[in-house]
Amino acid sequence: MADDAVGEILDWYRETARDGTAGDGVRFVEPLGAWVVHGHAEVRQVLTDHSVFSSDELRYSARPVPHRDNPLLGGLSAMDPPRHHVLRRLVGRAFTPRAIQALLPSIAGTVRTLLTDVDGELDVIGRLGYPLPVRTIAALLGVRASRQADFVRWSEAITSFAGSFTEDPARRAAFRTARAELGEYLREVFAEHRARPRDDVIGTLLAAEPDGGRLSEEELLDFCTLLLVNGHESTKTLLVNTVLCLAAHPGALARLRADRALVPGAVEEVLRFLPPVGGTDRFTTGPAGIAGHAIDTGRRVVAMVLSANRDPRVFAEPHEFRPGRTPNEHLSFGHGAHFCLGAHLARHEAAIAVRALLDRFPAPWSVSRITTGRTPVGIDVLDLALAAP
């Protein structure tokens, strides 16, 4: 049963990408009220040209924004240059390759601790997928990892509060509670940092004067909410997708077991094959054109990363999982100004976790439990377990 569910996920991604990249790969999808772009070159154009395809939904969307109160719309990912560049530089030094390299021993230690007393099957999300990135981003930000359960609950409520989901009374109530509780918690953290300044991301933001003045409380809250939410959600999904890919491809798993140097390349192929985020939104700042299609001002444009990553014009045998694929010009971390700030960190966390799992689960991997949920641009894995070795 679980293996069937994994197969259904892989089939859905394959068919969605195959159908999407047919023809010119650009079409208007009435149920979404959006232009959906699938081809690699076109997705890259949408992700890169912020002067035409803006990340600022509140400013440019021609339609009402039902989730306008979501703090993620005030963060870096919803901001265009030049303001985006100014704020990104404030925290960029915490995510440089050199800074990430210094974190690797503690990340490896965390993975060992998380897997030490695993007895029987492994709850991939509960035991590893959430705790590892939450502890890592908490240390970088300067917040307490002991609030992991709250971080997860707040993140799920905030990220799911968008579009038609805002009409659901339960989701709306969960969002309001999460926003209030997270805001209260972060204000406490800010007060602690002001009383005892620290050399972490929050300390950097509190001391910064990007425009000759300090960031407002609202800017600080939006910035930290984005870093906390995105800092663990994407890595959690990458870890889950890595387990899915290697469980479904025992030959690839055997090659990694024989040669651990292949692990980073395998992580890159997981990013291409099952990206953590299937698609991302942009909004036209004026009349625009792509692949010969005229797009009006204020239109939502969905850049389908999952399809772009399987564009046969760029990737040979795009629906085959090939660890070590070279070149591998996937767009899973974005492109241009919004290239993922934590890309290096996520790659290393996944690679360290895979090496540890290879040791802990020496036999071919088998998924013993899985629960999924559909989204407009992918399939979320809500629960996943690896069978006992």
Side-chain angles (χ1 to χ4, degrees):
M1 185 71 71
D3 289 340
D4 291 342
V6 174
E8 288 174 6
I9 293 172
L10 301 183
D11 289 346
W12 185 90
Y13 276 86
R14 182 181 62 252
E15 295 305 319
T16 299
R18 182 174 289 160
D19 293 346
T21 53
D24 62 15
V26 178
R27 54 195 64 103
F28 185 77
V29 178
E30 192 66 46
L32 293 178
W35 285 89
V36 182
V37 180
H38 294 270
H40 189 278
E42 292 75 24
V43 167
R44 181 168 172 162
Q45 177 186 346
V46 171
L47 295 177
T48 305
D49 192 352
H50 57 79
S51 65
V52 176
F53 302 99
S54 172
S55 299
D56 193 340
E57 182 176 5
L58 291 177
R59 180 177 180 183
Y60 288 109
S61 176
R63 294 189 172 194
V65 182
H67 48 278
R68 64 181 306 107
D69 293 334
N70 197 312
L72 297 181
L73 295 189
L76 272 181
S77 63
M79 196 177 294
D80 294 325
R83 183 64 173 170
H84 173 272
H85 290 334
V86 171
L87 295 184
R88 182 176 172 119
R89 279 196 294 268
L90 293 180
V91 296
R93 67 185 178 90
F95 295 92
T96 62
R98 182 177 180 180
I100 299 306
Q101 197 71 30
L103 293 174
L104 300 189
S106 66
I107 293 172
T110 297
V111 171
R112 284 194 299 271
T113 299
L114 293 173
L115 296 179
T116 293
D117 60 348
V118 171
D119 184 19
E121 70 177 14
L122 171 68
D123 177 353
V124 175
I125 296 176
R127 177 58 72 108
L128 188 63
Y130 273 134
L132 174 59
V134 164
R135 293 185 189 188
T136 304
I137 197 65
L140 280 171
L141 282 175
V143 299
R144 293 182 292 276
S146 59
R147 298 293 296 270
Q148 174 190 320
D150 288 327
F151 295 157
V152 171
R153 178 171 56 85
W154 295 334
S155 295
E156 290 177 345
I158 290 170
T159 55
S160 67
F161 189 73
S164 61
F165 288 147
T166 60
E167 300 170 8
D168 181 342
R171 287 180 186 267
R172 191 160 56 245
F175 167 75
R176 288 172 178 165
T177 299
R179 187 178 186 191
E181 291 179 357
L182 177 57
E184 180 181 2
Y185 171 69
L186 287 175
R187 288 185 181 94
E188 292 175 1
V189 174
F190 297 160
E192 292 171 2
H193 277 67
R194 289 184 177 113
R196 295 181 297 278
R198 306 174 199 171
D199 186 21
D200 50 36
V201 169
I202 288 179
T204 298
L205 292 174
L206 289 171
E209 297 183 358
D211 301 309
R214 298 292 173 90
L215 296 173
S216 70
E217 190 87 345
E218 198 65 28
E219 286 178 312
L220 287 167
L221 288 171
D222 289 347
F223 206 141
C224 292
T225 297
L226 175 72
L227 291 174
L228 187 59
V229 171
N230 285 7
H232 78 268
E233 278 288 341
S234 294
T235 304
K236 180 266 293 183
T237 306
L238 173 56
L239 290 170
V240 165
N241 290 350
T242 300
V243 169
L244 292 178
C245 287
L246 294 178
H249 299 90
L253 180 64
R255 289 193 294 275
L256 296 191
R257 203 182 300 285
D259 185 358
R260 305 299 173 89
L262 300 176
V263 168
V267 171
E268 291 303 307
E269 181 66 346
V270 171
L271 285 162
R272 183 195 72 84
F273 196 72
L274 290 183
V277 178
T280 188
D281 290 354
R282 295 292 187 269
F283 298 85
T284 50
T285 61
I290 190 163
H293 297 269
I295 304 177
D296 294 336
T297 303
R299 284 291 192 179
R300 177 187 176 199
V301 178
V302 182
M304 288 293 283
V305 172
L306 75 87
S307 300
N309 285 354
R310 295 181 182 224
D311 189 335
R313 293 168 293 186
V314 177
F315 302 97
E317 302 295 340
H319 305 298
E320 290 188 10
F321 180 72
R322 292 183 175 179
R325 180 185 292 270
T326 303
N328 193 343
E329 298 177 4
H330 66 76
L331 298 172
S332 296
F333 285 130
H335 194 268
H338 284 281
F339 184 80
C340 178
L341 189 64
H344 293 303
L345 178 58
R347 284 173 165 132
H348 281 296
E349 286 181 288
I352 290 170
V354 167
R355 292 187 183 102
L357 288 173
L358 290 172
D359 292 333
R360 181 64 183 78
F361 291 81
W365 293 358
S366 176
V367 172
S368 56
R369 187 181 72 247
I370 185 169
T371 305
T372 62
R374 286 291 180 92
T375 76
V377 293
I379 299 177
D380 280 348
V381 176
L382 308 175
D383 180 39
L384 179 68
L386 263 183

